[in-house]
Structures are given as C-alpha cells and as structure tokens.
Amino acid sequence: MYDKKIEITVPVLNEQDTLIVQVEKIINFLTTELNEFSDIKIIIADNGSTDQTQKLAELLEAKYNQVNYLRLNERGVGRALKASWSVSTADIIGYMDLDLATDLKYLRPAFDALVLANYDIVTGSRLAKGAKVYGRTMIRNITSRCFNLLVKNIFHTKFSDGMCGFKFLKRDKLSQVLSTGMRNDGWFFATELLIVGEFLNFRIKDLPVTWTDDPSSKVKIGKLSREYIEQMILLKKHLKEHSQ
C-alpha cells in the first residue's frame, strides 16, 4: 500500500456533454487498477464554464468521495492548475485532460517514477521513443513538432514534448517553480513547468505514452501558436534575469 496522497486535477471548460462519463472512467480505473494507492483525489477545476458543467461536477462531488470541485470565474488552464495545486496538501499533484487522450494505464508508471524512482516531475510524451499516437491530423502533428523544436532551440531543453496534457510533480517542488518563473495562465503553463523544472535541475521523467487525439478538441492552433511564441520570449527574458 502506497502512503502518498495524490491529486489529479482535471481542468474543464463547458464540458457538460462528457464530464460525468469521463470522470467515472477515471474513478473506475483508480478503483480497479490502482487500489494500492490509498489516497487519490480527482479535482475538477472549472475555469469559467457557462453551461451545466458546475451542476454536474457538484453531483459527482456529492456522489464520490474521491472527487472535489473547484470553481474559478476566470478562464485559463494555467490559472486553474495553479489554483488547484496551490491549495493542495497532497504529496503528488498533477493533471490530465478530460478527453483522456493519454491512456490511463500511464498513471501507474508516472506515480512509480515519483514515489519509487525519486523523479521530481513526470511528463507524458507523444514524441519520445516508444510513444504511439492515433488519430492526429497532419497539421496538429507538424505544429506540435515545430513548437517542441523551437522550445528545445531557445531553452536547450532535454524533454521531448512540452505540450502533452499529462504531467505530475512532487508538491514540495511547486513553490520553487512558481517563484522562479511559472506565471502563464493559459496553455503554455504546461510547457513552462518543464522549462523551469530543467532550469532548476529537477529530475524530469520523459514518459512515452499512447495518445489518442480528440477530434472535438477546442484548441485553436493559430491563437495557441501566437500565445506560445509570446510566452517563450517572456520566459526566456525572465529566466535570464533570474540567473543574473
């Protein structure tokens, strides 16, 4: 039996159509496949939903003691994760996307890497050797590879896939990464975590995963591309100042 407290944050925005089904899939997996982990919570971090997401999330919270609901009125994935993680008392914190694009079977090797192998951060990768990706369009695949290459060239990073929505870390490392440079409130926050983690010489596990792309993804590539470039410039400047 593992005695570590774990929290999995699932950021959501207007997910009334899939919320209950997907969260119950996670609960069922935790119950049947990870029952030796004695204390795992699911935090539904709602960043500004205007549909029935809040009502459904509150029903899940009332029904399952593994589920907690966190409401934010402002939008932003990074904002939702920071809000959830900053109030956590768990030993391990992290997040995964509601679409469960990353196969749930990778929760075990992620937790083992943090609990048994003493890694500080674990990140899922669709680009590492051994990873498998299904259903991804050519434009999304090319965009992902280009941005990861850009990150590598600008920050000289070793991780292979900064944008994969599957990341976990030791909570006692959170304050250090937040104070060093994790300021983005949007999608870049996930990549920022890894860049700052490497800057701080944390041990990062690049975990190859099986990824099934969600055809109904709400991510707008053009807008996301502009945000990433802007945030990379800002972060590069900030880390340079921090190291002086």
Side-chain angles (χ1 to χ4, degrees):
M1 184 74 72
Y2 290 82
D3 62 354
K4 300 294 185 182
K5 292 176 62 178
I6 301 170
E7 285 187 359
I8 305 170
T9 298
V10 181
V12 298
L13 174 63
N14 294 333
E15 301 288 0
Q16 64 179 20
D17 294 336
T18 60
L19 182 66
I20 289 181
V21 170
Q22 297 298 85
V23 171
E24 288 186 336
K25 282 182 183 178
I26 301 172
I27 292 170
N28 182 63
F29 183 86
L30 297 178
T31 302
T32 59
E33 302 296 330
L34 293 176
N35 54 17
E36 73 271 33
F37 289 87
S38 59
D39 191 352
I40 303 181
K41 293 282 188 181
I42 301 167
I43 312 300
I44 302 173
D46 179 359
N47 58 123
S49 291
T50 55
D51 62 358
Q52 295 297 306
T53 294
Q54 178 170 354
K55 179 180 178 181
L56 297 176
E58 288 171 345
L59 289 174
L60 286 166
E61 182 180 43
K63 184 177 180 180
Y64 299 103
N65 58 17
Q66 302 104 309
V67 176
N68 288 340
Y69 175 65
L70 174 65
R71 170 76 186 188
L72 291 87
N73 292 322
E74 293 184 272
R75 295 187 176 185
V77 173
R79 179 178 284 109
L81 293 177
K82 282 185 281 187
S84 175
W85 294 352
S86 295
V87 298
S88 174
T89 58
D91 301 291
I92 295 169
I93 53 178
Y95 87 101
M96 59 192 306
D97 295 330
L98 183 67
D99 61 12
L100 306 185
T102 301
D103 196 306
L104 288 167
K105 69 182 181 181
Y106 292 99
L107 287 172
R108 179 181 295 279
F111 297 158
D112 283 348
L114 293 164
V115 175
L116 303 178
N118 204 32
Y119 280 93
D120 299 308
I121 301 173
V122 176
T123 178
S125 174
R126 299 158 294 190
L127 300 175
K129 184 178 180 180
K132 297 178 181 178
V133 178
Y134 299 103
R136 198 154 218 226
T137 63
M138 183 177 293
I139 184 64
R140 289 176 68 87
N141 188 45
I142 291 173
T143 301
S144 175
R145 288 181 180 275
C146 286
F147 273 101
N148 279 297
L149 183 60
L150 191 58
V151 168
K152 191 173 291 290
N153 286 334
I154 292 175
F155 296 97
H156 309 293
T157 49
K158 297 177 182 178
F159 60 84
S160 59
D161 186 4
M163 293 179 282
C164 182
F166 186 87
K167 292 177 170 61
F168 292 88
L169 68 151
K170 293 177 178 176
R171 187 182 57 82
D172 62 9
K173 302 296 182 182
L174 181 63
S175 61
Q176 195 172 354
V177 290
L178 286 176
S179 63
T180 301
M182 289 177 61
R183 299 178 295 176
N184 184 257
D185 289 329
W187 290 98
F188 186 66
F189 179 84
T191 304
E192 199 173 36
L193 168 64
L194 302 182
I195 295 170
V196 175
E198 283 201 4
F199 179 80
L200 293 169
N201 295 315
F202 289 168
R203 294 190 68 209
I204 299 177
K205 173 73 173 178
D206 208 34
L207 180 67
V209 298
T210 298
W211 173 280
T212 304
D213 212 54
D214 179 8
S216 63
S217 173
K218 301 171 183 176
V219 175
K220 295 178 174 61
I221 294 177
K223 180 181 178 181
L224 184 64
S225 299
R226 290 190 298 272
E227 177 190 335
Y228 262 58
I229 292 172
E230 291 170 359
Q231 293 302 317
M232 278 189 273
I233 294 170
L234 290 173
L235 180 59
K236 181 69 173 180
K237 180 181 179 181
H238 178 74
L239 292 180
K240 183 177 180 179
E241 292 172 351
H242 192 87
S243 62
Q244 291 175 348

